[in-house]
Amino acid sequence: MRKEICIKNQIAELDHVAQFVEEICDELGLDMELQMNLNLVMEEMVSNIIFYAYPKNTDATIELMAESDGKELTFSLSDQGREFDPTLKNDFDVSANPAERDLGGMGIFIVKNIMNQVTYQRLEGKNLLTMRKKI
């Protein structure tokens, strides 16, 4: 199975992302808990691109691809925004006092903990984030 969609870098497009994830999970027969986790992952990473990858009022496209061999599901996100490698972000310190924590980073921490593998590459001026989950 292989599916792709392209969306605009607008928050309203997150509905299309959720529908994309739901269709994939239904096709693969994945349970609701995994579907909700995968939707959280994709919403977090796509919203990071929407909010932080481009200067305000810049129209751009985000490409989402999903493929599965029946044992593993791979999501790839590609955009031409600012270079950012979320795999280099320090893990969120859940034991720290909330008043002393840095803002941000919780979403990336969640993604790293839900997915089995998260990798990043900068290729030909594009960010390519690949996230794998055993199913």
Side-chain angles (χ1 to χ4, degrees), residues 1 3 5 16-29 35:
M1 181 276 311
K3 293 184 182 279
I5 62 168
H16 297 291
V17 174
Q19 183 178 358
F20 180 71
V21 172
E22 183 178 337
E23 289 172 6
I24 290 163
C25 290
D26 286 348
E27 185 174 325
L28 294 173
Q35 179 176 325

Side-chain angles (χ1 to χ4, degrees), residues 68-80:
S68 177
D69 60 5
K71 296 177 185 176
E72 184 175 70
L73 176 58
T74 302
F75 286 105
S76 297
L77 288 173
S78 178
D79 69 88
Q80 294 182 345

Side-chain angles (χ1 to χ4, degrees), residues 58-125:
T58 300
D59 291 329
T61 300
I62 302 167
E63 299 170 12
L64 293 82
M65 188 272 300
E67 64 183 335
S68 177
D69 60 5
K71 296 177 185 176
E72 184 175 70
L73 176 58
T74 302
F75 286 105
S76 297
L77 288 173
S78 178
D79 69 88
Q80 294 182 345
R82 289 184 192 105
E83 185 173 352
F84 176 69
D85 183 351
T87 66
L88 297 179
K89 182 86 172 147
N90 289 335
D91 283 343
F92 188 81
D93 185 359
V94 293
S95 66
N97 180 332
E100 297 173 2
R101 286 184 190 149
D102 291 334
L103 292 177
M106 180 64 146
I108 293 170
F109 175 78
I110 290 169
V111 169
K112 288 179 178 180
N113 281 281
I114 289 174
M115 303 306 283
N116 297 107
Q117 182 183 31
V118 179
T119 58
Y120 170 85
Q121 294 177 291
R122 182 77 178 183
L123 299 171
E124 299 174 4

Side-chain angles (χ1 to χ4, degrees), residues 1-20:
M1 181 276 311
R2 181 183 165 98
K3 293 184 182 279
E4 294 181 49
I5 62 168
C6 289
I7 62 168
K8 297 181 187 308
N9 63 328
Q10 299 171 359
I11 200 70
E13 295 284 305
L14 290 175
D15 290 338
H16 297 291
V17 174
Q19 183 178 358
F20 180 71

